[in-house]
Amino acid sequence: MRLLHTSDWHLGRSFHGVGMLDAQRAFVDQLVAAVQRDGVDVVLIAGDVYDRALPGVDVVHLLDDALVRLTAAGAKVVLTSGNHDSAIRLGFASRLLERGGVHLRTRVEDLAQPLLLPLGTDAAGKDAVLALYGIPWLEPRLVSEQLGVETASHFEVTRAATSRIREDIARRSESAIVHSVVLAHTFASGGISSDSERDLSIGGVGAVPLDLFDGFSYTALGHLHGRQELSGSVRYSGSPLAYSFSESTHRKGAWLVDIGPEGVAAVSEVQWEAPRALAVLRGELEDLLAEPAHTWAEAAYCQITLTDAQRPARAMERLRTRFPDTLVLAFDPQGGAATAQASYSSRLAGAPDDLSLCCGFLEHVRGRSADQAEKAALAAALENVRLQEASR
């Protein structure tokens, strides 16, 4: 049996104001091609299939198209809800969809209701079965009573959910060898986060210990956007596309999991081709505009930090003459740390005259000093005010 572990599709998300629906369609094309090329039996989607609880019509159509194409390619789909999804809306018509090979696990009531698939017999001739369980995103305040826990915390509700699954595995193991795969959308200890994930809780208390997933043949995690291996049997697939510049170094892909009568036989990487490169550049404006080594970034989405001692005029306009898709511009002037030590109010207190006061304010709000023409305009304005006051 061959499984493809994915998560965090975030259909409908934009990237710094740029719509990504076309890029997400291209990902679906790659996904379907991988299913056909690699003979995938089951596609796993570990939460955050949508980016918001109320996705747009075109976004819903994209998921519908993806599910139709995946099942037409011969794969079953197991899908859980994430913290971005509406579990109720995503789980609509789950019993009907199951007949078509799409198995939604969005309810606490379905924690111990696995998708069962035969794996044949092991070396001893005993029947083996694959049991696929889905743990949706569990909001502690909403599900603690259903799960029978007194403390509404991520740890307690996740422990209760995995306990239910272990009880079901133990019951089924009386008549067959059970190899279990668990999908979960959560933040497991040891995972490396990026800027585009929504915090599960304040202060990191939402992280759950890795040993909650001990004993499962494979745990397919979702929520963190970087593909990573926490242990031999616990992994994040990461998001298929980069959703923040902090993911510029990620190699996007998925995990291909081979499992047979003896258990997990192999786990290998599948790569997704990025629609656009991401460039994170830093330096002075003139250097960035002239540096030949940055030629590759001319076709990339760019995040640029300028380090000029004074903020250049028309910085974004000039950068976009070379890097037309500059989406984020920041300033970190050289010597800025020393300048910041003196508060704005203390600098105002030391201004010798009104013109210096106005020039200081201008420098404070835009990051560079007034030039001679600006100083002359300010001086003329101040003189006009002085004459008006004197004539009263």
Side-chain angles (χ1 to χ4, degrees):
M1 190 73 61
R2 178 162 279 182
L3 316 177
L4 185 61
H5 169 197
T6 75
S7 72
D8 296 273
W9 291 13
H10 287 279
L11 298 182
R13 189 160 187 160
S14 62
F15 184 82
H16 295 280
V18 176
M20 298 193 70
L21 212 54
D22 286 341
Q24 291 170 335
R25 290 191 184 97
F27 155 66
V28 171
D29 291 341
Q30 293 185 67
L31 177 63
V32 173
V35 168
Q36 296 170 330
R37 179 189 67 238
D38 298 324
V40 173
D41 299 292
V42 186
V43 174
L44 312 177
I45 310 173
D48 281 355
V49 61
Y50 290 131
D51 189 56
R52 59 190 61 194
L54 291 171
V57 173
D58 52 352
V59 178
V60 175
H61 285 167
L62 178 54
L63 178 60
D64 175 68
D65 179 66
L67 296 178
V68 168
R69 293 174 64 189
L70 289 171
T71 52
K76 298 181 184 298
V77 178
V78 179
L79 189 159
T80 63
S81 50
N83 55 304
H84 282 250
D85 301 308
S86 164
I88 294 175
R89 292 183 177 90
L90 187 61
F92 173 75
S94 58
R95 289 177 295 176
L96 184 62
L97 288 169
E98 192 157 332
R99 299 178 189 176
V102 177
H103 303 265
L104 303 177
R105 294 296 183 267
T106 63
R107 306 187 312 155
V108 170
E109 294 87 345
D110 296 330
L111 285 170
Q113 297 296 321
L115 169 62
L116 298 173
L117 298 172
L119 290 173
T121 57
D122 67 359
K126 192 168 184 180
D127 290 335
V129 63
L130 172 62
L132 290 155
Y133 297 87
I135 302 176
W137 157 240
L138 301 172
E139 172 54 56
R141 294 168 298 175
L142 300 179
V143 302
S144 56
E145 185 174 347
Q146 282 180 278
L147 288 169
V149 301
E150 296 182 359
T151 304
S153 69
H154 291 282
F155 168 71
E156 291 294 347
V157 297
T158 305
R159 181 169 65 172
T162 53
S163 294
R164 286 193 183 186
I165 291 171
R166 286 191 174 87
E167 290 172 3
D168 188 71
I169 293 171
R171 181 178 61 82
R172 296 180 188 278
S173 297
E174 295 175 359
S175 56
I177 296 173
V178 178
H179 297 298
S180 56
V181 171
V182 176
L183 288 73
H185 193 87
T186 191
F187 182 17
S189 298
I192 301 172
S193 62
S194 61
D195 292 345
S196 58
E197 301 112 12
R198 184 175 299 166
D199 288 340
L200 290 183
S201 63
I202 297 172
V205 295
V208 300
L210 203 59
D211 59 12
L212 287 184
F213 306 107
D214 284 352
F216 301 134
S217 302
Y218 184 84
T219 300
L221 294 179
H223 180 59
L224 300 187
H225 288 185
R227 188 179 51 176
Q228 52 200 288
E229 177 183 349
L230 302 189
S231 73
S233 61
V234 182
R235 301 174 189 239
Y236 281 99
S237 67
S239 60
L241 299 169
Y243 291 118
S244 73
F245 280 104
S246 67
E247 300 171 48
S248 61
T249 59
H250 289 186
R251 295 173 59 211
K252 296 299 185 181
W255 296 110
L256 202 61
V257 183
D258 290 317
I259 188 165
E262 306 294 338
V264 175
V267 181
S268 56
E269 297 180 358
V270 175
Q271 303 291 336
W272 307 132
E273 182 179 347
R276 294 285 291 274
L278 301 185
V280 179
L281 306 179
R282 180 184 177 86
E284 295 188 359
L285 177 61
E286 297 301 332
D287 293 340
L288 291 171
L289 293 176
E291 176 55 61
H294 296 326
T295 300
W296 69 273
E298 294 172 4
Y301 288 136
C302 297
Q303 173 183 283
I304 299 178
T305 301
L306 294 180
T307 61
D308 300 74
Q310 292 192 357
R311 184 174 302 192
R314 300 183 298 108
M316 180 66 91
E317 180 182 344
R318 295 181 64 193
L319 283 169
R320 283 180 171 169
T321 61
R322 183 180 188 188
F323 309 109
D325 288 314
T326 301
L327 303 181
V328 177
L329 177 59
F331 298 92
D332 184 16
Q334 295 174 355
T339 303
Q341 291 177 359
S343 69
Y344 177 56
S345 59
S346 65
R347 284 188 284 128
L348 289 185
D353 52 42
D354 290 344
L355 180 58
S356 299
L357 189 68
C358 292
C359 289
F361 173 76
L362 193 62
E363 181 179 356
H364 174 72
V365 297
R366 70 177 184 181
R368 63 181 176 85
S369 303
D371 58 28
Q372 291 302 317
E374 291 167 335
K375 287 180 179 179
L378 287 170
L382 288 169
E383 180 63 16
N384 286 335
V385 171
R386 187 189 67 79
L387 292 174
Q388 289 176 12
E389 291 292 331
S391 65
R392 290 179 180 176

